Each structure stands twice: as structure tokens, then as C-alpha cells.
Amino acid sequence: MIKEEAASKEMLAHAAGIKNIAAAEPTLLAWLKGADEPLARAIYQSLGQCGSSASIPALKQAAKKAGRIAAEGAILLKNDGTLPLAAGSEIAILGKGQNEYFAGGGGSARITSVKPASLKEGLAACEKLSVNSELLAAYENSTDGIIPFEMLKRAADKGNTAVIIISRFAAEGRDEKDEPGSFQLTDDEKNLISDAKRAGFKRIAVLINTGN
């Protein structure tokens, strides 16, 4: 049971999650009714830490809202007609960033998710698209994220669309810097984009995955 004394409900909700107090779940769910945005955020984050199956309906509603917010927060820097991806397309997912998915940042940018779907999982689950399975397996087994050029050519022959995923992690006290591997692309990333063009992909989308 949570006792409201000097501390606010928002602070208590945060504390319940940090200390993983399972007994706080009924109180947190009760507080959720009529909660304002700051309190609701604190409760959802806490339920993600200490909640049981009783919290799943509330967390599913939060996930739907988070999905809408994420879509609104995505920034399209440039589009030459590549997007939206055409139904029926076979997509080649390129870049080691597909296996370095960040649902959020660190510190104050950390988020709690019941089961975050990675970018490649989301694309693979889309019924209107198919994903090149040879490349998926190659990246799963690669230690450096570098794929043979001949494999890229085979993928380009099967489908003309590539999605290159570049991931960056940042956190409170760990800002990005104006250098390769941070704000700038690494040589490997530049080479991958060039190789995708040389392999014959007609449509290339570069997706930046960062929590900050």
C-alpha cells in the first residue's frame, strides 16, 4: 500500500517502479483513472517495472498512444518518391543498426516498454512487404556488420528497395559529438550506402534510429 504524505503521487509512482514494489500495483492502477499527463507517464513507467498481468490492458493502451506519438515525432528529412514503400515490395534491410535497436536513450531519456519491437521485426511483420531472408541471416551472424557485395547484388536483383538502418545511442551526460560514429557517418556506413547504390537498388531509404 502506498501512503500519500508529503510526497506527490508522481514521486511515489516513480519510487514504486524504481524499487519494484509489486504491492503498489492496485494503487497505481486506481490512480491512473483521471490522472494528468505527468502522473500517467510516471504510472505507466512504474507498471512496466512492477506490474503483473493485471497491468497489461493499461499498458496496451499506453503502447497505442506511444505509437501515435512516435509516428508524429519521426522526421522525414528528404523523400524522392521512395516512401511510402510500395505494397508487394521485397525489402533488403541493411546495416548493423538493425541488430542495435534503441527504443530510447539513457538517463532521463530512458523509456520502459513491455516488449519493444525492433525496426526489422516491424518491417518483417508488415503483411504488405516481404523481407530478404538471406540478408537477415547474414547480419545475425556477422560480427562486424559488413556483408559481401555479391550478396547485396543478389538482393538488388530480387527487390529494388533497400532500407539502411543506422543506430545511435545517447544519454543524459553522454551527448552526441560532431565526429564519425556520432553525428557523422562512419567510413563503413558511407561505404554501405555507396555499395547499395552500386549493387543496383533503385530505391534506398536511410533510417536513423536514436532515442535522443
Side-chain angles (χ1 to χ4, degrees):
M1 188 73 178
I2 297 178
K3 293 183 179 180
E4 295 179 66
E5 295 176 348
S8 69
K9 287 183 178 179
E10 188 177 344
M11 291 174 61
L12 290 168
H14 278 302
I18 291 171
K19 296 188 177 183
N20 199 19
I21 303 175
E25 183 182 32
T27 302
L28 293 172
L29 288 171
W31 285 354
L32 197 54
K33 298 175 182 177
D36 59 19
E37 277 297 318
L39 176 57
R41 285 197 300 269
I43 291 173
Y44 286 133
Q45 188 171 32
S46 182
L47 290 174
Q49 298 290 334
C50 68
S52 67
S53 59
S55 295
I56 290 178
L59 291 174
K60 282 185 175 179
Q61 288 300 314
K64 289 181 180 179
K65 186 173 184 179
R68 291 196 300 270
I69 293 171
E72 293 172 2
I75 300 172
L76 182 60
L77 297 178
K78 182 180 179 180
N79 186 16
D80 59 1
T82 297
L83 301 175
L85 299 175
S89 298
E90 175 164 308
I91 308 300
I93 304 177
L94 308 179
K96 66 178 184 178
Q98 63 186 275
N99 294 321
E100 297 175 347
Y101 175 65
F102 300 121
S108 58
R110 182 180 67 87
I111 67 168
T112 299
S113 176
V114 177
K115 186 184 182 301
S118 69
L119 298 170
K120 69 175 181 180
E121 288 172 339
L123 286 169
C126 181
E127 296 180 352
K128 296 181 179 181
L129 303 172
S130 59
V131 175
N132 185 290
S133 57
E134 182 184 22
L135 283 170
L136 285 180
Y139 276 106
E140 285 283 353
N141 297 318
S142 173
T143 56
D144 57 9
I146 298 176
I147 300 301
F149 182 72
E150 288 303 317
M151 189 179 293
L152 294 181
K153 288 186 66 177
R154 287 199 298 273
D157 289 340
K158 294 181 66 177
N160 65 2
T161 304
V163 177
I164 300 175
I165 300 176
I166 296 173
S167 293
R168 294 288 189 268
F169 179 79
E172 187 176 10
R174 184 185 162 183
D175 292 333
E176 300 287 5
K177 298 179 180 179
D178 188 15
E179 59 187 34
S182 191
F183 277 122
Q184 303 297 328
L185 296 177
T186 65
D187 287 341
D188 286 343
E189 290 165 344
K190 292 177 182 178
N191 291 336
L192 177 59
I193 295 172
S194 297
D195 285 347
K197 293 179 181 178
R198 288 198 302 119
F201 289 105
K202 303 301 182 185
R203 299 174 180 271
I204 300 174
V206 179
L207 187 59
I208 307 297
N209 163 224
T210 179
N212 294 53

mmCIF file of all heavy atoms in Angstrom, residues 76-87 89 91 129 160-163 201-206:
data_model
loop_
_atom_site.group_PDB
_atom_site.id
_atom_site.type_symbol
_atom_site.label_atom_id
_atom_site.label_comp_id
_atom_site.label_asym_id
_atom_site.label_seq_id
_atom_site.Cartn_x
_atom_site.Cartn_y
_atom_site.Cartn_z
ATOM 1 N N LEU A 76 10.952 13.261 -41.412
ATOM 2 C CA LEU A 76 11.301 12.905 -42.783
ATOM 3 C C LEU A 76 12.159 14.026 -43.352
ATOM 4 O O LEU A 76 11.673 15.105 -43.662
ATOM 5 C CB LEU A 76 10.035 12.704 -43.628
ATOM 6 C CG LEU A 76 10.244 12.286 -45.080
ATOM 7 C CD1 LEU A 76 10.980 10.949 -45.152
ATOM 8 C CD2 LEU A 76 8.913 12.198 -45.804
ATOM 9 N N LEU A 77 13.472 13.773 -43.449
ATOM 10 C CA LEU A 77 14.391 14.809 -43.911
ATOM 11 C C LEU A 77 14.290 15.024 -45.414
ATOM 12 O O LEU A 77 14.414 16.160 -45.888
ATOM 13 C CB LEU A 77 15.829 14.429 -43.533
ATOM 14 C CG LEU A 77 16.123 14.320 -42.040
ATOM 15 C CD1 LEU A 77 17.567 13.901 -41.808
ATOM 16 C CD2 LEU A 77 15.854 15.658 -41.342
ATOM 17 N N LYS A 78 14.074 13.952 -46.162
ATOM 18 C CA LYS A 78 14.007 14.054 -47.615
ATOM 19 C C LYS A 78 13.290 12.839 -48.167
ATOM 20 O O LYS A 78 13.454 11.740 -47.665
ATOM 21 C CB LYS A 78 15.421 14.142 -48.202
ATOM 22 C CG LYS A 78 15.470 14.303 -49.717
ATOM 23 C CD LYS A 78 16.917 14.391 -50.202
ATOM 24 C CE LYS A 78 16.988 14.531 -51.716
ATOM 25 N NZ LYS A 78 18.395 14.618 -52.187
ATOM 26 N N ASN A 79 12.490 13.057 -49.204
ATOM 27 C CA ASN A 79 11.802 11.939 -49.850
ATOM 28 C C ASN A 79 11.734 12.198 -51.352
ATOM 29 O O ASN A 79 11.135 13.164 -51.797
ATOM 30 C CB ASN A 79 10.387 11.774 -49.284
ATOM 31 C CG ASN A 79 9.700 10.538 -49.817
ATOM 32 O OD1 ASN A 79 10.348 9.643 -50.366
ATOM 33 N ND2 ASN A 79 8.384 10.465 -49.665
ATOM 34 N N ASP A 80 12.364 11.316 -52.120
ATOM 35 C CA ASP A 80 12.374 11.462 -53.574
ATOM 36 C C ASP A 80 11.378 10.533 -54.243
ATOM 37 O O ASP A 80 11.466 10.251 -55.440
ATOM 38 C CB ASP A 80 13.780 11.188 -54.121
ATOM 39 C CG ASP A 80 14.265 9.784 -53.768
ATOM 40 O OD1 ASP A 80 13.508 9.037 -53.128
ATOM 41 O OD2 ASP A 80 15.408 9.451 -54.133
ATOM 42 N N GLY A 81 10.411 10.061 -53.473
ATOM 43 C CA GLY A 81 9.426 9.128 -54.000
ATOM 44 C C GLY A 81 9.615 7.710 -53.494
ATOM 45 O O GLY A 81 8.795 6.831 -53.777
ATOM 46 N N THR A 82 10.685 7.490 -52.739
ATOM 47 C CA THR A 82 10.935 6.152 -52.190
ATOM 48 C C THR A 82 9.854 5.749 -51.193
ATOM 49 O O THR A 82 9.442 4.596 -51.134
ATOM 50 C CB THR A 82 12.318 6.110 -51.509
ATOM 51 O OG1 THR A 82 13.322 6.363 -52.488
ATOM 52 C CG2 THR A 82 12.578 4.759 -50.865
ATOM 53 N N LEU A 83 9.411 6.716 -50.401
ATOM 54 C CA LEU A 83 8.386 6.453 -49.379
ATOM 55 C C LEU A 83 7.043 7.020 -49.822
ATOM 56 O O LEU A 83 6.994 8.052 -50.485
ATOM 57 C CB LEU A 83 8.813 7.074 -48.047
ATOM 58 C CG LEU A 83 10.138 6.582 -47.489
ATOM 59 C CD1 LEU A 83 10.500 7.374 -46.230
ATOM 60 C CD2 LEU A 83 10.094 5.097 -47.199
ATOM 61 N N PRO A 84 5.945 6.369 -49.481
ATOM 62 C CA PRO A 84 5.863 5.114 -48.716
ATOM 63 C C PRO A 84 6.304 3.914 -49.541
ATOM 64 O O PRO A 84 6.231 3.948 -50.772
ATOM 65 C CB PRO A 84 4.381 5.021 -48.355
ATOM 66 C CG PRO A 84 3.688 5.773 -49.447
ATOM 67 C CD PRO A 84 4.615 6.891 -49.829
ATOM 68 N N LEU A 85 6.782 2.877 -48.859
ATOM 69 C CA LEU A 85 7.222 1.673 -49.542
ATOM 70 C C LEU A 85 6.042 1.032 -50.272
ATOM 71 O O LEU A 85 4.950 0.912 -49.715
ATOM 72 C CB LEU A 85 7.808 0.682 -48.529
ATOM 73 C CG LEU A 85 9.039 1.184 -47.760
ATOM 74 C CD1 LEU A 85 9.445 0.146 -46.713
ATOM 75 C CD2 LEU A 85 10.203 1.467 -48.697
ATOM 76 N N ALA A 86 6.272 0.624 -51.499
ATOM 77 C CA ALA A 86 5.193 0.076 -52.316
ATOM 78 C C ALA A 86 4.766 -1.300 -51.820
ATOM 79 O O ALA A 86 5.609 -2.143 -51.490
ATOM 80 C CB ALA A 86 5.646 -0.009 -53.773
ATOM 81 N N ALA A 87 3.472 -1.515 -51.753
ATOM 82 C CA ALA A 87 2.947 -2.826 -51.353
ATOM 83 C C ALA A 87 3.448 -3.895 -52.316
ATOM 84 O O ALA A 87 3.509 -3.688 -53.521
ATOM 85 C CB ALA A 87 1.424 -2.799 -51.344
ATOM 86 N N SER A 89 6.507 -5.069 -52.259
ATOM 87 C CA SER A 89 7.956 -4.945 -52.431
ATOM 88 C C SER A 89 8.700 -5.943 -51.553
ATOM 89 O O SER A 89 8.256 -6.277 -50.447
ATOM 90 C CB SER A 89 8.423 -3.532 -52.061
ATOM 91 O OG SER A 89 7.841 -2.563 -52.883
ATOM 92 N N ILE A 91 11.975 -6.066 -49.422
ATOM 93 C CA ILE A 91 12.857 -5.075 -48.818
ATOM 94 C C ILE A 91 14.152 -5.729 -48.366
ATOM 95 O O ILE A 91 14.141 -6.781 -47.733
ATOM 96 C CB ILE A 91 12.176 -4.409 -47.597
ATOM 97 C CG1 ILE A 91 10.795 -3.874 -47.991
ATOM 98 C CG2 ILE A 91 13.045 -3.306 -47.039
ATOM 99 C CD1 ILE A 91 10.818 -2.844 -49.086
ATOM 100 N N LEU A 129 4.622 -6.217 -47.176
ATOM 101 C CA LEU A 129 6.016 -6.259 -47.612
ATOM 102 C C LEU A 129 6.606 -7.630 -47.335
ATOM 103 O O LEU A 129 6.119 -8.372 -46.495
ATOM 104 C CB LEU A 129 6.847 -5.202 -46.870
ATOM 105 C CG LEU A 129 6.403 -3.743 -46.969
ATOM 106 C CD1 LEU A 129 7.220 -2.895 -46.010
ATOM 107 C CD2 LEU A 129 6.540 -3.229 -48.390
ATOM 108 N N ASN A 160 14.094 -4.053 -55.539
ATOM 109 C CA ASN A 160 14.847 -2.829 -55.839
ATOM 110 C C ASN A 160 14.872 -1.823 -54.699
ATOM 111 O O ASN A 160 15.298 -0.693 -54.884
ATOM 112 C CB ASN A 160 14.284 -2.156 -57.098
ATOM 113 C CG ASN A 160 12.857 -1.648 -56.897
ATOM 114 O OD1 ASN A 160 12.287 -1.764 -55.818
ATOM 115 N ND2 ASN A 160 12.288 -1.085 -57.954
ATOM 116 N N THR A 161 14.413 -2.241 -53.491
ATOM 117 C CA THR A 161 14.330 -1.304 -52.368
ATOM 118 C C THR A 161 15.194 -1.758 -51.200
ATOM 119 O O THR A 161 15.108 -2.907 -50.764
ATOM 120 C CB THR A 161 12.875 -1.144 -51.882
ATOM 121 O OG1 THR A 161 12.058 -0.733 -52.985
ATOM 122 C CG2 THR A 161 12.783 -0.109 -50.778
ATOM 123 N N ALA A 162 16.026 -0.851 -50.701
ATOM 124 C CA ALA A 162 16.867 -1.133 -49.531
ATOM 125 C C ALA A 162 16.537 -0.142 -48.419
ATOM 126 O O ALA A 162 16.311 1.045 -48.677
ATOM 127 C CB ALA A 162 18.348 -1.028 -49.889
ATOM 128 N N VAL A 163 16.493 -0.644 -47.209
ATOM 129 C CA VAL A 163 16.327 0.209 -46.027
ATOM 130 C C VAL A 163 17.591 0.062 -45.189
ATOM 131 O O VAL A 163 17.882 -1.020 -44.677
ATOM 132 C CB VAL A 163 15.086 -0.186 -45.200
ATOM 133 C CG1 VAL A 163 14.998 0.679 -43.941
ATOM 134 C CG2 VAL A 163 13.821 -0.037 -46.037
ATOM 135 N N PHE A 201 20.256 -1.189 -56.250
ATOM 136 C CA PHE A 201 18.994 -0.798 -55.606
ATOM 137 C C PHE A 201 18.528 0.537 -56.186
ATOM 138 O O PHE A 201 19.279 1.510 -56.209
ATOM 139 C CB PHE A 201 19.167 -0.684 -54.092
ATOM 140 C CG PHE A 201 19.337 -2.002 -53.394
ATOM 141 C CD1 PHE A 201 20.578 -2.394 -52.927
ATOM 142 C CD2 PHE A 201 18.253 -2.846 -53.213
ATOM 143 C CE1 PHE A 201 20.743 -3.615 -52.292
ATOM 144 C CE2 PHE A 201 18.411 -4.066 -52.576
ATOM 145 C CZ PHE A 201 19.657 -4.449 -52.113
ATOM 146 N N LYS A 202 17.288 0.577 -56.643
ATOM 147 C CA LYS A 202 16.741 1.792 -57.239
ATOM 148 C C LYS A 202 16.180 2.740 -56.184
ATOM 149 O O LYS A 202 16.135 3.953 -56.383
ATOM 150 C CB LYS A 202 15.641 1.432 -58.244
ATOM 151 C CG LYS A 202 16.090 0.478 -59.352
ATOM 152 C CD LYS A 202 17.242 1.051 -60.158
ATOM 153 C CE LYS A 202 17.641 0.102 -61.275
ATOM 154 N NZ LYS A 202 18.841 0.584 -62.009
ATOM 155 N N ARG A 203 15.743 2.171 -55.102
ATOM 156 C CA ARG A 203 15.151 2.967 -54.021
ATOM 157 C C ARG A 203 15.891 2.647 -52.709
ATOM 158 O O ARG A 203 15.946 1.489 -52.312
ATOM 159 C CB ARG A 203 13.649 2.688 -53.865
ATOM 160 C CG ARG A 203 12.837 3.026 -55.105
ATOM 161 C CD ARG A 203 11.385 2.589 -54.932
ATOM 162 N NE ARG A 203 10.597 2.912 -56.100
ATOM 163 C CZ ARG A 203 9.955 4.061 -56.287
ATOM 164 N NH1 ARG A 203 10.014 5.001 -55.356
ATOM 165 N NH2 ARG A 203 9.242 4.267 -57.378
ATOM 166 N N ILE A 204 16.442 3.655 -52.088
ATOM 167 C CA ILE A 204 17.196 3.464 -50.838
ATOM 168 C C ILE A 204 16.686 4.445 -49.783
ATOM 169 O O ILE A 204 16.678 5.660 -50.012
ATOM 170 C CB ILE A 204 18.708 3.690 -51.060
ATOM 171 C CG1 ILE A 204 19.246 2.702 -52.107
ATOM 172 C CG2 ILE A 204 19.478 3.526 -49.742
ATOM 173 C CD1 ILE A 204 20.686 2.941 -52.483
ATOM 174 N N ALA A 205 16.256 3.904 -48.671
ATOM 175 C CA ALA A 205 15.821 4.739 -47.544
ATOM 176 C C ALA A 205 16.825 4.557 -46.405
ATOM 177 O O ALA A 205 17.158 3.430 -46.049
ATOM 178 C CB ALA A 205 14.417 4.334 -47.083
ATOM 179 N N VAL A 206 17.309 5.663 -45.864
ATOM 180 C CA VAL A 206 18.234 5.628 -44.716
ATOM 181 C C VAL A 206 17.455 6.032 -43.486
ATOM 182 O O VAL A 206 16.891 7.124 -43.420
ATOM 183 C CB VAL A 206 19.435 6.560 -44.922
ATOM 184 C CG1 VAL A 206 20.352 6.514 -43.695
ATOM 185 C CG2 VAL A 206 20.216 6.165 -46.177
#
